[in-house]
């Protein structure tokens, strides 16, 4: 059973703003989302748990520059994107 992606209104607004600014990343983003839903543990996503004040979140890579931070629930097979941006933007 695939994982379900639950897009919040707050993330949707961030995503629209991000993709407007980085139109070239849209195909990569779509590919990453499809992969995340089908196999969040795929090595190319580089899924890892964050630490410190973000220790309740995980991160996946879109490419070497951009990341998506997510809430990740293995039991319920739920993925909730929280933030999208550069390494520094996502990890602040």
């Amino acid at each position: 059973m695939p994982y379900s992606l639950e897009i919040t209104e707050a993330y949707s607004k961030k995503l629209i703003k991000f993709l407007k600014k980085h139109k070239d990343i849209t195909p990569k983003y779509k590919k990453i989302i499809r992969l995340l839903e089908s196999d969040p543990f795929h090595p190319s996503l580089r899924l890892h748990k964050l630490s410190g004040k973000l220790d309740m979140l995980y991160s996946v890579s879109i490419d070497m520059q951009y990341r998506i931070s997510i809430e990740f629930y293995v039991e319920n097979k739920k993925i909730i994107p929280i933030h999208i941006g550069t390494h520094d933007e996502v990890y602040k």
Side-chain angles (χ1 to χ4, degrees):
M1 181 174 136
Y3 285 73
S4 65
L5 196 69
E6 295 186 14
I7 305 291
T8 64
E9 188 176 332
Y11 178 76
S12 183
K13 288 178 182 178
K14 290 175 188 175
L15 177 61
I16 289 167
K17 187 175 176 180
F18 176 83
L19 292 178
K20 256 187 200 175
K21 189 175 177 183
H22 306 283
K23 288 180 172 67
D24 58 315
I25 215 80
T26 300
K28 283 184 186 178
Y29 174 80
K30 289 179 179 179
K31 181 180 176 185
I32 292 301
I33 292 300
R34 283 193 302 272
L35 185 55
L36 191 58
E37 289 176 312
S38 66
D39 180 9
F41 300 103
H42 191 280
S44 69
L45 292 172
R46 295 187 288 281
L47 174 74
H48 63 280
K49 188 157 179 45
L50 300 180
S51 59
K53 66 180 182 174
L54 301 174
D55 67 351
M56 69 294 209
L57 299 177
Y58 289 76
S59 177
V60 295
S61 296
I62 298 173
D63 62 17
M64 294 308 288
Q65 186 176 4
Y66 299 110
R67 311 277 187 276
I68 304 170
S69 62
I70 60 173
E71 288 182 23
F72 183 58
Y73 302 103
V74 175
E75 282 182 27
N76 300 330
K77 295 205 170 224
K78 255 192 238 182
I79 299 169
I80 304 169
I82 302 298
H83 195 66
I84 185 169
T86 64
H87 180 280
D88 291 344
E89 292 168 343
V90 169
Y91 297 159
K92 65 179 172 176

